[in-house]
Amino acid sequence: MGVTVRNISVAVAAVVLAAVAASSGAASSVRTYATHGTLPLRTSVDDPFTLTGAQRATGFLKARAAGASYVRIIVSWNVIAPSARPAGFDPADPTSHGYDWSWYDSTIGSAEKADLTPILDIARAPEWALAKSHGKRVFTPQASALGQFAKALALHYDGKHDAPPAHVFQVWNEPNLSQDLSPVSAAAYRGMVNAVATSVHAVSGTNLVVAGGLDPFGNKAKTWHSVSPLAYMRSLLCLSKGTHPHRTCRNVVHFDVWSHHPYTFNGPFGHATRPDDVSLGDLPKMRTLLRAAVKSHRVVSSHPVQFWVTEFSWDTLPPRRHAAPVGLASRWTAEALYQMWRSGVSLVTWFGLEDKGGKGPYQSGLFFHASSLARAKAKPLRTAFRFPFVAYLGRGNVSVWGRDATSDTQVVAIQRRHGTHGNWRTVARIRSNRTGIFRAKLKLAASKKDWLRATAAGSGNSLAFSLTRPSPKLRYGPWGN
């Protein structure tokens, strides 16, 4: 026939190039935008069910594949330390008889093998380390005892003692909530944070101390209560109310990162109903207060103080009744990441790798529940978490934002589709910055019927994002309530 393999290869390549050109549009008509330096957006996962059991090694690998670079691990002090202090026990010495690090060595080692940076969140003091009760049940530890344990923890995981390294240490979970720290006292928590910071920074100046991790709502119930986060924060930082807060005491707090848990009932841009509560839409108020504290030297750190979210998610339908439908929750996930990033948050922790299963809450996983984690099917919001992308219609333009899944410099193609079906055509390209963030205001004639998506090497395709916004009146609680 006279047709060579080389000729066939050239013909196939020509067909492929023609197909790409047809779907993308003429290269000369597509504008390329550049993204300059911005705040990064790193992601993390926290799952106290999946990531603490026999499947945790698989879980860490799945979390990394979902785009996470950190993992939050609750460090139960009362599990590592002896239930009663033995004779000669030195709580500041990690080698002291009575300490048992084996489970955490294995868990943190599995996280490290998956290329995840652990955030070690200290919680749950042993009975002998609790503050004096004066006849009441307390969960607040003695600051001095906490500082000693923090020193042992930081020394054990300093990378020099046959244990995996760790350098990020969070002080408690939701200390403004009586179920976690009782009595609820910002002054007591300040002492705890300072004790941990003194010990952790003495081990290494590069270690980071995370404070806050607050419950987003103030509540008073018969058996528990919580203090509104902004009121608690002002008390902790010794700052007054008002647009120009002034110092109310001489105490300072030593930490490197402030964190919050901005759960919401009003979607990704919704505000809390009470002025001192902080949902997603209220994060700028918390950032303003944090900046005021740093500026007035209420916060002491040798690092630029960061703002993190160390817990956030939505339950989805399926499987949880009354939860946000999974398609809407997927859109909201991308929008929530955008909202947190533009509010100054540089790390977001998603609560739930796999749905817990059953009919109860905690169906907020990136994966549906399955007989084994290896068999678990990813939810669409896993793609939104890995490769977030949003697009908003303006007058003669469309504003887009995202983070490529590789979190580095890429050329990201922005594609458009008319309606829910049809071909995708490339309408713009954006160079992401060195942390993978890309954003631009595209000069694009579009309508509410259009859909946009992003695609990049190593990232694949983002979820399709409709230019029709959902009703702002939609209300779904984070736990299907």
Side-chain angles (χ1 to χ4, degrees):
M1 298 291 291
V3 179
T4 65
V5 173
R6 181 179 182 277
N7 290 336
I8 293 174
S9 300
V10 170
V12 170
V15 170
V16 171
L17 290 172
V20 171
S23 65
S24 301
S28 60
S29 65
V30 174
R31 178 176 173 180
T32 299
Y33 298 77
T35 307
H36 300 293
T38 67
L39 194 71
L41 179 68
R42 294 158 292 177
T43 49
S44 171
V45 170
D46 174 14
D47 190 325
F49 312 110
T50 304
L51 297 180
T52 58
Q55 300 184 89
R56 61 183 180 270
T58 301
F60 290 137
L61 291 173
K62 278 187 172 286
R64 188 70 183 96
S69 54
Y70 285 70
V71 60
R72 180 179 176 220
I73 298 172
I74 299 296
V75 175
S76 296
W77 179 6
N78 60 357
V79 170
I80 295 172
S83 57
R85 290 184 57 158
F89 177 67
D90 180 358
D93 180 1
T95 66
S96 189
H97 177 70
Y99 273 137
D100 182 0
W101 304 96
S102 57
W103 187 89
Y104 286 97
D105 285 355
S106 175
T107 300
I108 296 169
S110 293
E112 291 283 341
K113 287 179 182 177
D115 198 25
L116 292 169
T117 298
I119 301 169
L120 302 186
D121 192 347
I122 305 170
R124 305 178 188 129
E127 290 284 343
W128 55 264
L130 294 175
K132 292 183 179 179
S133 65
H134 301 291
K136 294 182 179 180
R137 176 66 172 166
V138 299
F139 299 104
T140 303
Q142 303 168 30
S144 58
L146 176 61
Q148 290 174 319
F149 174 70
K151 183 177 181 180
L153 182 69
L155 282 171
H156 185 74
Y157 293 112
D158 64 1
K160 304 174 183 177
H161 292 84
D162 297 323
H167 67 274
V168 184
F169 303 89
Q170 185 168 337
V171 187
W172 235 251
N173 176 70
E174 299 183 350
N176 61 327
L177 176 64
S178 64
Q179 292 168 310
D180 285 295
L181 198 63
S182 181
V184 176
S185 167
Y189 184 63
R190 186 191 307 121
M192 292 167 58
V193 173
N194 286 343
V196 170
T198 298
S199 294
V200 165
H201 289 149
V203 173
S204 174
T206 63
N207 285 337
L208 297 180
V209 173
V210 184
L214 302 183
D215 184 283
F217 309 113
N219 280 292
K220 291 184 178 180
K222 290 184 179 180
T223 58
W224 62 274
H225 71 281
S226 58
V227 175
S228 293
L230 287 181
Y232 188 90
M233 194 175 173
R234 286 193 296 266
S235 180
L236 176 75
L237 300 173
C238 294
L239 288 175
S240 67
K241 284 187 174 182
T243 54
H244 302 287
H246 60 269
R247 188 179 72 183
T248 59
C249 73
R250 294 183 177 275
N251 296 311
V252 296
V253 193
H254 296 252
F255 62 80
D256 309 300
V257 181
W258 179 259
S259 71
H260 185 56
H261 301 167
Y263 287 107
T264 176
F265 289 82
N266 300 93
F269 301 99
H271 296 275
T273 57
R274 289 172 293 209
D276 277 347
D277 290 350
V278 179
S279 285
L280 274 178
D282 308 300
L283 285 172
K285 293 194 296 184
M286 181 170 276
R287 177 185 60 180
T288 297
L289 185 58
L290 178 62
R291 286 179 172 177
V294 172
K295 185 176 180 180
S296 61
H297 307 292
R298 299 297 87 213
V299 179
V300 178
S301 174
S302 59
H303 309 272
V305 176
Q306 301 179 63
F307 189 16
W308 288 4
V309 165
T310 49
E311 187 179 313
F312 179 80
S313 64
W314 276 287
D315 276 16
T316 65
L317 171 68
R320 177 79 164 149
R321 291 181 61 191
H322 309 302
V326 70
L328 178 64
S330 299
R331 178 188 174 103
W332 278 4
T333 298
E335 292 187 297
L337 290 170
Y338 170 57
Q339 166 68 355
M340 289 185 261
W341 174 84
R342 75 172 190 162
S343 299
V345 172
S346 59
L347 181 144
V348 174
T349 301
W350 190 264
F351 184 82
L353 177 68
E354 181 191 30
D355 287 347
K356 188 181 179 185
K359 297 181 179 179
Y362 312 120
Q363 314 299 343
S364 56
L366 302 176
F367 294 83
F368 292 107
H369 184 74
S371 58
S372 70
L373 188 56
R375 294 175 177 267
K377 181 182 177 182
K379 295 180 183 178
L381 60 82
R382 185 260 193 190
T383 299
F385 181 77
R386 177 178 176 269
F387 189 8
F389 171 73
V390 300
Y392 300 111
L393 186 62
R395 293 184 178 180
N397 62 70
V398 178
S399 296
V400 301
W401 173 92
R403 187 208 65 188
D404 64 65
T406 57
S407 295
D408 59 12
T409 303
Q410 297 287 337
V411 175
V412 182
I414 307 300
Q415 298 180 332
R416 177 174 63 177
R417 182 184 68 195
H418 293 295
T420 56
H421 302 283
N423 295 325
W424 289 97
R425 296 181 65 86
T426 297
V427 293
R429 294 187 178 89
I430 308 174
R431 291 190 183 93
S432 61
N433 62 24
R434 62 184 180 88
T435 64
I437 299 294
F438 59 93
R439 60 174 177 169
K441 184 173 286 188
L442 310 181
K443 292 183 178 180
L444 181 65
S447 73
K448 292 182 179 180
K449 294 182 179 180
D450 288 340
W451 295 68
L452 269 66
R453 73 179 184 185
T455 181
S459 300
N461 298 325
S462 73
L463 293 181
F465 196 91
S466 174
L467 294 185
T468 298
R469 296 196 185 204
S471 170
K473 296 181 180 180
L474 291 173
R475 287 178 58 86
Y476 293 100
W479 308 282
N481 50 341

